[in-house]
Amino acid sequence: MLLIVLIVIALGSGGALAAIVAGRGEGTVSQPQRDEVMSVARRFMLAINNYGPALLDDKGQMPQYRSDVTALITPKFQASFDQSVTIAEQTAKAGLTRTADVFATGVADLDQDSATVLVAGSFTNSYKNKKGKTVDDEPAPFRVAVSVVKIGGKWIVDDFSPVTGVADDGSTGTSPSAPASPSLPASSAPASQGAGQ
C-alpha cells in the first residue's frame, strides 16, 4: 500500500514539474526582455527631457531632439509628440535648458508584445540670468508609467502618464514634475529669469 502511495505522489510530482517546465516556455517572458523594455523606457525619458538652446537650428527647431524621440515612439504617439514639440522648441528659444536623470526603472506588467515600465527620476531646468550666469532650478522629481509595445520585433514607446501615489497622510496626487505634455516644462520661460539672480 505504501508503495502505491509513493508511486502516486511521484507521478503527481512529475506531472506538476512538467507543467511548470512547460509554463516557462513560449508564453513567458525572460529577464533579457525585462531589461530591454526598461532600457527603452529609460532612453525615452532621457530623450524627451533633455533639450535646450544648443539643439536649435537656424529655423528655430530641434531636429536632433525630434529624431531622438521619434526613433523611440510609435506612429500613434508621434502624432501627439509632433503637436507638442513646438512648445519645447519655444522653451529652448526662451533660453531654457532641461536635463534629466533616471534613478530607477521597474517592470509593472510584461507580456510578449506589451509592457508597462515604471520610471523614476528628475529633471532640472536651467537658464542664464541677466548677468549671463547659468542658474539651475531645483531638480523636479518625476514618476511615470511608460507603455511599451513590440512592433516588427522592436520595443517602442506607445504612451506615458504620471503615476499617482498615496502620501503618508492618505491623500493622493500626481507626480508634480510629470507634465501633461511629454517634454514640456510648466511654462515657456523660466519664472525666476527676471529676478536678477
Side-chain angles (χ1 to χ4, degrees):
M1 182 66 152
L2 179 63
L3 182 60
I4 293 174
V5 170
L6 290 175
I7 291 173
V8 169
I9 290 173
L11 289 174
S13 298
L17 180 61
I20 290 170
V21 169
R24 291 187 177 183
E26 190 175 55
T28 61
V29 294
S30 66
Q31 187 61 43
Q33 288 173 305
R34 289 179 175 282
D35 293 342
E36 188 175 357
V37 297
M38 287 188 296
S39 174
V40 168
R42 173 184 295 270
R43 287 182 304 160
F44 167 73
M45 289 307 295
L46 291 173
I48 204 156
N49 283 303
N50 279 290
Y51 59 85
L55 295 177
L56 291 168
D57 65 10
D58 58 352
K59 297 177 185 172
Q61 296 183 339
M62 298 186 294
Q64 186 62 51
Y65 172 77
R66 288 173 180 247
S67 174
D68 291 347
V69 174
T70 300
L72 297 169
I73 61 178
T74 63
K76 179 184 95 175
F77 189 17
Q78 184 175 350
S80 172
F81 174 72
D82 287 344
Q83 292 176 0
S84 64
V85 69
T86 56
I87 299 172
E89 290 168 339
Q90 290 169 0
T91 301
K93 286 180 204 175
L96 185 124
T97 298
R98 175 175 282 186
T99 55
D101 290 312
V102 170
F103 306 136
T105 59
V107 176
D109 185 39
L110 175 63
D111 60 33
Q112 294 300 316
D113 59 3
S114 66
T116 302
V117 180
L118 303 176
V119 183
S122 70
F123 62 81
T124 303
N125 293 329
S126 59
Y127 57 92
K128 293 200 183 288
N129 64 14
K130 290 182 179 182
K131 297 177 183 176
K133 180 182 174 190
T134 300
V135 177
D136 292 337
D137 285 343
E138 288 293 317
F142 64 79
R143 294 177 304 152
V144 295
V146 179
S147 299
V148 183
V149 295
K150 195 173 202 178
I151 298 177
K154 179 181 175 184
W155 289 101
I156 52 179
V157 176
D158 193 44
D159 197 9
F160 78 107
S161 60
V163 174
T164 59
V166 178
D168 291 338
D169 66 359
S171 63
T172 61
T174 61
S175 173
S177 61
S181 218
S183 62
L184 311 177
S187 66
S188 62
S192 57
Q193 187 170 9
Q197 295 175 340

